[in-house]
Amino acid sequence: AQTLKGAGYATEVAGKWQLALLGDDLEHPNRLGFEEYSLFGWHEGPRYHRPMVWQYGRLREDLHDAYGPDVYTDFMIDFMSRHREEPFFAFYSMALCHDVTDDLDEPVPFGPKDRYDSFAERMAAMDERIGRLVGALDDLGLRERTLVLFTTDNGSPRRSILGVEEGEFVYEEVVSRRGDILVPGGKGQLTDAGTRVPFIARWPGVIEAHRVTDDLVDLTDFLPTFAELANAPLPEGVHLDGQSFLPTLRGEPGGGRAWSYSAHRGRSWVRDREWKLYDDGQLFDMSNDPTEEQPSLPDADSPGAAAARERLTTVREELGVDDGASP
Protein backbone atom coordinates (compact mmCIF):
# COMPACT_ATOMS: atom_id res chain seq x y z
CA ALA A 1 0.00 0.00 0.00
CA GLN A 2 2.84 2.43 0.78
CA THR A 3 4.49 1.70 -2.56
CA LEU A 4 1.29 2.25 -4.55
CA LYS A 5 0.28 5.29 -2.50
CA GLY A 6 3.64 6.81 -3.33
CA ALA A 7 2.91 6.19 -7.01
CA GLY A 8 -0.32 8.20 -6.83
CA TYR A 9 -2.81 5.44 -6.14
CA ALA A 10 -5.76 5.81 -3.78
CA THR A 11 -5.49 2.93 -1.29
CA GLU A 12 -8.08 1.05 0.73
CA VAL A 13 -8.41 -2.15 2.75
CA ALA A 14 -11.57 -3.89 3.95
CA GLY A 15 -12.22 -7.04 5.98
CA LYS A 16 -9.46 -8.58 8.05
CA TRP A 17 -6.58 -6.79 9.80
CA GLN A 18 -4.64 -9.50 11.59
CA LEU A 19 -1.73 -7.21 12.38
CA ALA A 20 -2.80 -5.25 15.46
CA LEU A 21 -5.72 -4.70 17.81
CA LEU A 22 -7.34 -1.74 16.11
CA GLY A 23 -9.01 -0.56 19.28
CA ASP A 24 -5.52 0.11 20.64
CA ASP A 25 -4.12 1.68 17.46
CA LEU A 26 -6.71 3.10 15.07
CA GLU A 27 -4.07 4.72 12.86
CA HIS A 28 -2.19 1.49 12.17
CA PRO A 29 -3.70 0.85 8.68
CA ASN A 30 -3.04 4.49 7.74
CA ARG A 31 0.60 4.24 8.78
CA LEU A 32 0.96 1.16 6.60
CA GLY A 33 -0.27 3.06 3.56
CA PHE A 34 -4.05 2.57 3.51
CA GLU A 35 -5.87 5.89 3.29
CA GLU A 36 -9.29 4.33 3.98
CA TYR A 37 -10.31 1.20 5.85
CA SER A 38 -13.29 -0.81 7.09
CA LEU A 39 -12.01 -3.65 9.26
CA PHE A 40 -13.43 -6.01 11.83
CA GLY A 41 -11.97 -6.04 15.31
CA TRP A 42 -9.75 -9.11 15.13
CA HIS A 43 -9.67 -10.71 18.60
CA GLU A 44 -11.99 -7.89 19.73
CA GLY A 45 -15.42 -8.88 18.41
CA PRO A 46 -17.44 -10.73 15.74
CA ARG A 47 -16.57 -10.64 12.05
CA TYR A 48 -19.81 -12.01 10.56
CA HIS A 49 -23.18 -11.43 12.24
CA ARG A 50 -23.44 -8.25 14.33
CA PRO A 51 -19.86 -7.43 13.37
CA MET A 52 -17.49 -5.20 15.27
CA VAL A 53 -16.17 -2.91 12.53
CA TRP A 54 -13.71 -0.04 12.73
CA GLN A 55 -14.13 2.43 9.89
CA TYR A 56 -12.45 5.79 9.32
CA GLY A 57 -10.90 5.61 12.77
CA ARG A 58 -14.05 4.95 14.76
CA LEU A 59 -16.28 2.05 15.78
CA ARG A 60 -19.48 1.71 13.77
CA GLU A 61 -22.55 1.59 16.02
CA ASP A 62 -25.15 0.82 13.33
CA LEU A 63 -24.39 -2.82 12.55
CA HIS A 64 -26.56 -4.76 15.01
CA ASP A 65 -28.44 -6.49 12.17
CA ALA A 66 -25.62 -6.43 9.62
CA TYR A 67 -23.57 -9.20 8.03
CA GLY A 68 -19.87 -8.34 8.04
CA PRO A 69 -18.99 -9.37 4.45
CA ASP A 70 -21.78 -7.09 3.19
CA VAL A 71 -20.33 -4.18 5.17
CA TYR A 72 -16.85 -4.73 3.69
CA THR A 73 -18.20 -5.25 0.15
CA ASP A 74 -20.38 -2.12 0.28
CA PHE A 75 -17.41 -0.12 1.55
CA MET A 76 -15.22 -1.31 -1.31
CA ILE A 77 -17.82 -0.56 -3.97
CA ASP A 78 -18.26 2.94 -2.55
CA PHE A 79 -14.47 3.42 -2.58
CA MET A 80 -14.16 2.30 -6.20
CA SER A 81 -17.07 4.52 -7.21
CA ARG A 82 -15.49 7.60 -5.66
CA HIS A 83 -12.06 6.89 -7.16
CA ARG A 84 -13.12 5.61 -10.58
CA GLU A 85 -11.32 8.46 -12.39
CA GLU A 86 -7.93 7.78 -10.76
CA PRO A 87 -5.74 4.76 -10.17
CA PHE A 88 -6.68 2.85 -7.02
CA PHE A 89 -5.57 -0.15 -4.99
CA ALA A 90 -8.48 -1.91 -3.27
CA PHE A 91 -7.45 -4.78 -0.99
CA TYR A 92 -10.29 -7.05 0.14
CA SER A 93 -8.76 -9.06 2.97
CA MET A 94 -11.74 -11.36 3.29
CA ALA A 95 -13.00 -12.88 6.49
CA LEU A 96 -14.68 -15.54 4.37
CA CYS A 97 -14.18 -18.49 4.48
CA HIS A 98 -12.49 -18.36 7.89
CA ASP A 99 -14.18 -19.65 11.05
CA VAL A 100 -15.95 -17.32 13.43
CA THR A 101 -13.87 -15.66 16.15
CA ASP A 102 -13.34 -18.31 18.85
CA ASP A 103 -11.26 -16.65 21.58
CA LEU A 104 -13.63 -14.15 23.19
CA ASP A 105 -15.14 -14.48 26.64
CA GLU A 106 -18.52 -15.27 25.08
CA PRO A 107 -19.18 -17.01 21.73
CA VAL A 108 -20.01 -14.61 18.90
CA PRO A 109 -23.66 -14.37 17.74
CA PHE A 110 -25.28 -16.97 15.50
CA GLY A 111 -26.82 -16.03 12.19
CA PRO A 112 -30.47 -16.59 11.25
CA LYS A 113 -30.01 -20.40 11.23
CA ASP A 114 -29.41 -20.46 15.02
CA ARG A 115 -25.95 -21.83 14.31
CA TYR A 116 -22.84 -20.68 12.51
CA ASP A 117 -22.67 -20.99 8.75
CA SER A 118 -20.99 -24.15 7.50
CA PHE A 119 -17.78 -23.95 5.50
CA ALA A 120 -19.72 -24.65 2.30
CA GLU A 121 -22.19 -21.88 3.13
CA ARG A 122 -19.35 -19.44 3.74
CA MET A 123 -17.86 -20.40 0.38
CA ALA A 124 -21.16 -19.61 -1.32
CA ALA A 125 -21.31 -16.28 0.53
CA MET A 126 -17.77 -15.50 -0.61
CA ASP A 127 -18.64 -16.28 -4.22
CA GLU A 128 -21.65 -13.97 -4.09
CA ARG A 129 -19.68 -11.02 -2.66
CA ILE A 130 -16.86 -11.43 -5.17
CA GLY A 131 -19.50 -11.45 -7.88
CA ARG A 132 -20.88 -8.17 -6.55
CA LEU A 133 -17.44 -6.56 -6.57
CA VAL A 134 -16.60 -7.70 -10.09
CA GLY A 135 -20.05 -6.66 -11.28
CA ALA A 136 -19.57 -3.23 -9.73
CA LEU A 137 -16.29 -2.81 -11.62
CA ASP A 138 -18.09 -3.55 -14.86
CA ASP A 139 -20.97 -1.20 -14.01
CA LEU A 140 -18.45 1.58 -13.28
CA GLY A 141 -16.86 1.16 -16.69
CA LEU A 142 -13.61 -0.14 -15.17
CA ARG A 143 -13.62 -3.62 -16.67
CA GLU A 144 -10.78 -3.05 -19.14
CA ARG A 145 -8.76 -0.83 -16.79
CA THR A 146 -8.62 -3.02 -13.69
CA LEU A 147 -6.55 -6.06 -12.79
CA VAL A 148 -8.38 -8.33 -10.34
CA LEU A 149 -6.40 -10.95 -8.43
CA PHE A 150 -8.00 -13.63 -6.25
CA THR A 151 -5.99 -15.89 -3.98
CA THR A 152 -5.73 -17.07 -0.36
CA ASP A 153 -3.07 -17.59 2.28
CA ASN A 154 -3.53 -21.29 3.08
CA GLY A 155 -5.61 -24.34 2.32
CA SER A 156 -8.97 -25.03 3.89
CA PRO A 157 -9.10 -26.31 7.50
CA ARG A 158 -9.70 -29.90 8.50
CA ARG A 159 -12.65 -28.89 10.64
CA SER A 160 -14.81 -25.84 11.13
CA ILE A 161 -16.91 -24.45 13.98
CA LEU A 162 -20.62 -25.04 13.41
CA GLY A 163 -22.22 -24.30 16.79
CA VAL A 164 -21.98 -24.21 20.58
CA GLU A 165 -23.30 -26.81 23.03
CA GLU A 166 -22.95 -26.46 26.79
CA GLY A 167 -20.32 -23.78 26.35
CA GLU A 168 -18.17 -25.86 24.00
CA PHE A 169 -17.70 -25.38 20.26
CA VAL A 170 -19.12 -28.04 17.95
CA TYR A 171 -17.15 -28.78 14.80
CA GLU A 172 -17.79 -30.26 11.35
CA GLU A 173 -15.24 -31.94 9.13
CA VAL A 174 -14.21 -30.01 6.01
CA VAL A 175 -13.70 -32.09 2.87
CA SER A 176 -13.53 -30.76 -0.69
CA ARG A 177 -14.15 -32.68 -3.90
CA ARG A 178 -11.77 -32.64 -6.84
CA GLY A 179 -13.45 -34.69 -9.53
CA ASP A 180 -14.03 -38.07 -7.91
CA ILE A 181 -11.41 -37.49 -5.20
CA LEU A 182 -12.29 -36.30 -1.69
CA VAL A 183 -9.63 -33.96 -0.29
CA PRO A 184 -9.56 -33.24 3.48
CA GLY A 185 -8.62 -29.71 4.50
CA GLY A 186 -4.89 -29.17 4.93
CA LYS A 187 -4.48 -25.83 6.73
CA GLY A 188 -1.41 -25.95 8.96
CA GLN A 189 0.24 -28.66 6.87
CA LEU A 190 3.08 -28.27 4.39
CA THR A 191 1.42 -30.51 1.81
CA ASP A 192 -0.25 -29.12 -1.30
CA ALA A 193 -3.54 -29.26 0.63
CA GLY A 194 -2.13 -26.65 2.99
CA THR A 195 0.17 -24.53 0.83
CA ARG A 196 -0.95 -24.72 -2.81
CA VAL A 197 -3.85 -22.31 -3.20
CA PRO A 198 -6.16 -20.92 -5.90
CA PHE A 199 -4.89 -17.99 -7.93
CA ILE A 200 -7.21 -16.37 -10.45
CA ALA A 201 -6.38 -13.25 -12.47
CA ARG A 202 -8.83 -11.14 -14.52
CA TRP A 203 -7.62 -8.39 -16.83
CA PRO A 204 -9.74 -8.22 -20.01
CA GLY A 205 -7.73 -7.31 -23.07
CA VAL A 206 -4.45 -8.40 -21.46
CA ILE A 207 -5.07 -11.83 -19.94
CA GLU A 208 -6.57 -14.39 -22.30
CA ALA A 209 -9.75 -15.87 -20.85
CA HIS A 210 -9.51 -19.44 -19.48
CA ARG A 211 -5.72 -19.57 -19.89
CA VAL A 212 -4.00 -21.85 -17.38
CA THR A 213 -0.32 -21.62 -16.50
CA ASP A 214 2.07 -23.87 -14.58
CA ASP A 215 4.33 -20.97 -13.62
CA LEU A 216 5.34 -20.98 -9.96
CA VAL A 217 4.19 -17.93 -7.97
CA ASP A 218 4.18 -17.23 -4.24
CA LEU A 219 2.82 -14.43 -2.08
CA THR A 220 6.16 -12.65 -1.78
CA ASP A 221 5.83 -11.85 -5.49
CA PHE A 222 2.88 -9.50 -5.11
CA LEU A 223 4.83 -6.39 -4.06
CA PRO A 224 7.32 -6.41 -6.97
CA THR A 225 4.50 -7.22 -9.41
CA PHE A 226 2.35 -4.31 -8.22
CA ALA A 227 5.35 -1.99 -8.23
CA GLU A 228 6.14 -2.90 -11.84
CA LEU A 229 2.51 -2.42 -12.87
CA ALA A 230 2.45 1.04 -11.25
CA ASN A 231 5.94 2.06 -12.44
CA ALA A 232 6.75 2.56 -8.77
CA PRO A 233 10.19 2.18 -7.17
CA LEU A 234 10.59 -0.68 -4.72
CA PRO A 235 11.42 0.18 -1.11
CA GLU A 236 15.09 0.97 -0.55
CA GLY A 237 17.22 -0.82 2.00
CA VAL A 238 14.86 -3.80 2.26
CA HIS A 239 15.68 -7.35 1.13
CA LEU A 240 12.79 -8.66 -0.96
CA ASP A 241 12.30 -12.35 -1.71
CA GLY A 242 9.66 -11.78 -4.38
CA GLN A 243 9.90 -11.30 -8.12
CA SER A 244 7.37 -9.84 -10.54
CA PHE A 245 4.96 -12.26 -12.18
CA LEU A 246 3.78 -9.66 -14.68
CA PRO A 247 5.21 -11.74 -17.57
CA THR A 248 3.04 -14.63 -16.42
CA LEU A 249 -0.07 -12.43 -16.40
CA ARG A 250 0.71 -11.23 -19.91
CA GLY A 251 1.37 -14.74 -21.19
CA GLU A 252 4.98 -13.96 -21.97
CA PRO A 253 7.72 -16.62 -21.82
CA GLY A 254 10.13 -16.77 -18.94
CA GLY A 255 7.59 -16.00 -16.22
CA GLY A 256 7.39 -17.65 -12.83
CA ARG A 257 10.01 -18.23 -10.20
CA ALA A 258 12.55 -21.05 -10.15
CA TRP A 259 11.69 -22.16 -6.62
CA SER A 260 9.51 -21.42 -3.61
CA TYR A 261 10.04 -21.90 0.13
CA SER A 262 7.64 -22.54 2.99
CA ALA A 263 8.06 -23.27 6.70
CA HIS A 264 5.73 -24.12 9.57
CA ARG A 265 6.41 -25.11 13.18
CA GLY A 266 10.00 -26.19 12.71
CA ARG A 267 9.57 -27.93 9.36
CA SER A 268 10.21 -26.53 5.90
CA TRP A 269 10.52 -27.32 2.23
CA VAL A 270 11.87 -25.78 -0.92
CA ARG A 271 10.35 -26.76 -4.25
CA ASP A 272 10.25 -26.08 -7.94
CA ARG A 273 7.42 -27.01 -10.29
CA GLU A 274 8.30 -30.71 -10.28
CA TRP A 275 10.20 -31.56 -7.09
CA LYS A 276 9.79 -30.77 -3.40
CA LEU A 277 12.57 -31.22 -0.82
CA TYR A 278 11.82 -31.25 2.93
CA ASP A 279 14.23 -30.38 5.72
CA ASP A 280 14.47 -34.08 6.69
CA GLY A 281 15.73 -35.09 3.25
CA GLN A 282 12.48 -36.48 1.88
CA LEU A 283 12.11 -35.62 -1.79
CA PHE A 284 8.83 -35.89 -3.69
CA ASP A 285 8.10 -35.96 -7.40
CA MET A 286 5.12 -33.60 -7.31
CA SER A 287 4.22 -34.17 -10.97
CA ASN A 288 3.56 -37.87 -10.37
CA ASP A 289 2.99 -37.98 -6.59
CA PRO A 290 1.05 -34.82 -5.62
CA THR A 291 -0.23 -36.39 -2.39
CA GLU A 292 3.34 -37.13 -1.26
CA GLU A 293 3.00 -40.84 -0.65
CA GLN A 294 6.29 -42.07 -2.14
CA PRO A 295 9.36 -40.14 -0.94
CA SER A 296 12.67 -40.54 -2.68
CA LEU A 297 15.56 -40.92 -0.25
CA PRO A 298 19.19 -40.13 -1.03
CA ASP A 299 20.38 -43.74 -1.29
CA ALA A 300 17.64 -44.60 -3.79
CA ASP A 301 17.37 -41.45 -5.94
CA SER A 302 16.90 -41.84 -9.66
CA PRO A 303 19.17 -39.64 -11.82
CA GLY A 304 16.36 -37.08 -12.11
CA ALA A 305 15.74 -37.12 -8.36
CA ALA A 306 19.45 -36.82 -7.59
CA ALA A 307 19.75 -33.75 -9.83
CA ALA A 308 16.67 -32.18 -8.21
CA ARG A 309 18.02 -32.92 -4.72
CA GLU A 310 21.33 -31.24 -5.53
CA ARG A 311 19.61 -28.23 -7.07
CA LEU A 312 17.15 -27.70 -4.21
CA THR A 313 19.80 -28.35 -1.54
CA THR A 314 21.81 -25.52 -3.05
CA VAL A 315 18.78 -23.26 -2.73
CA ARG A 316 18.36 -24.21 0.93
CA GLU A 317 22.01 -23.42 1.59
CA GLU A 318 21.71 -20.04 -0.13
CA LEU A 319 18.67 -19.31 2.03
CA GLY A 320 20.60 -20.21 5.16
CA VAL A 321 18.34 -23.14 6.00
CA ASP A 322 20.80 -25.98 5.50
CA ASP A 323 19.22 -28.19 8.13
CA GLY A 324 19.79 -31.79 7.25
CA ALA A 325 18.38 -31.99 3.75
CA SER A 326 21.79 -32.41 2.09
CA PRO A 327 22.44 -35.68 0.20
Side-chain angles (χ1 to χ4, degrees):
Q2 290 284 24
T3 295
L4 293 178
K5 180 182 175 183
Y9 280 64
T11 58
E12 170 266 354
V13 61
K16 177 181 180 180
W17 190 258
Q18 198 167 324
L19 298 173
L21 298 178
L22 282 172
D24 295 336
D25 190 356
L26 290 172
E27 295 181 357
H28 194 224
N30 304 133
R31 291 202 307 277
L32 269 62
F34 291 103
E35 297 167 310
E36 302 181 30
Y37 68 81
S38 179
L39 300 163
F40 72 77
W42 172 67
H43 292 322
E44 297 175 272
R47 67 190 76 184
Y48 292 125
H49 298 283
R50 302 182 187 177
M52 181 182 185
V53 177
W54 300 97
Q55 189 166 306
Y56 295 118
R58 62 181 179 83
L59 183 64
R60 289 192 57 172
E61 304 284 359
D62 58 340
L63 302 178
H64 183 79
D65 296 321
Y67 179 54
D70 286 334
V71 177
Y72 320 133
T73 301
D74 291 343
F75 182 84
M76 292 195 68
I77 292 173
D78 176 70
F79 170 83
M80 294 188 298
S81 299
R82 289 185 286 106
H83 295 279
R84 60 189 294 183
E85 302 298 332
E86 61 184 305
F88 63 74
F89 172 52
F91 178 28
Y92 187 15
S93 181
M94 284 188 292
L96 295 163
C97 301
H98 201 284
D99 264 346
V100 298
T101 305
D102 63 357
D103 60 355
L104 303 178
D105 292 337
E106 297 291 335
V108 297
F110 291 149
K113 304 180 185 70
D114 291 326
R115 59 169 173 79
Y116 301 126
D117 291 343
S118 68
F119 188 82
E121 289 166 336
R122 295 198 300 275
M123 283 191 65
M126 176 191 68
D127 189 56
E128 180 180 343
R129 274 75 192 174
I130 294 298
R132 284 185 56 201
L133 287 168
V134 173
L137 278 173
D138 294 349
D139 293 341
L140 292 168
L142 299 174
R143 178 182 176 89
E144 309 292 332
R145 295 168 49 198
T146 307
L147 168 64
V148 178
L149 298 178
F150 174 94
T151 190
T152 183
D153 57 347
N154 51 247
S156 57
R158 283 188 169 270
R159 63 178 190 167
S160 179
I161 300 171
L162 194 59
V164 180
E165 292 183 2
E166 297 181 356
E168 299 292 332
F169 288 113
V170 177
Y171 295 84
E172 62 168 356
E173 298 297 311
V174 175
V175 179
S176 302
R177 181 181 295 276
R178 184 184 302 142
D180 295 329
I181 302 174
L182 296 178
V183 182
K187 179 179 179 180
Q189 301 179 38
L190 289 174
T191 62
D192 271 9
T195 57
R196 186 176 182 180
V197 297
F199 183 31
I200 303 170
R202 177 192 191 249
W203 192 2
V206 178
I207 299 175
E208 179 185 356
H210 308 297
R211 177 167 59 86
V212 177
T213 177
D214 291 328
D215 286 352
L216 191 62
V217 171
D218 76 26
L219 295 180
T220 65
D221 298 332
F222 277 67
L223 173 55
T225 302
F226 291 167
E228 184 175 2
L229 280 164
N231 294 316
L234 288 168
E236 296 182 358
V238 179
H239 174 77
L240 298 176
D241 294 312
Q243 66 183 57
S244 172
F245 54 81
L246 187 55
T248 294
L249 294 177
R250 290 175 169 163
E252 299 169 352
R257 54 194 300 124
W259 54 265
S260 186
Y261 171 83
S262 188
H264 183 64
R265 294 185 177 178
R267 294 206 63 198
S268 64
W269 53 248
V270 62
R271 65 164 297 171
D272 56 24
R273 290 192 298 181
E274 297 179 350
W275 296 92
K276 184 175 184 181
L277 179 65
Y278 280 88
D279 57 333
D280 61 1
Q282 290 193 94
L283 179 72
F284 292 93
D285 179 356
M286 300 303 293
S287 297
N288 298 305
D289 184 23
T291 56
E292 303 181 21
E293 297 178 1
Q294 299 176 347
S296 178
L297 298 175
D299 58 356
D301 281 345
S302 66
R309 183 182 299 278
E310 182 177 0
R311 181 171 66 250
L312 296 176
T313 297
T314 299
V315 172
R316 297 188 66 88
E317 292 171 347
E318 291 175 349
L319 286 170
V321 289
D322 182 17
D323 46 10
S326 302

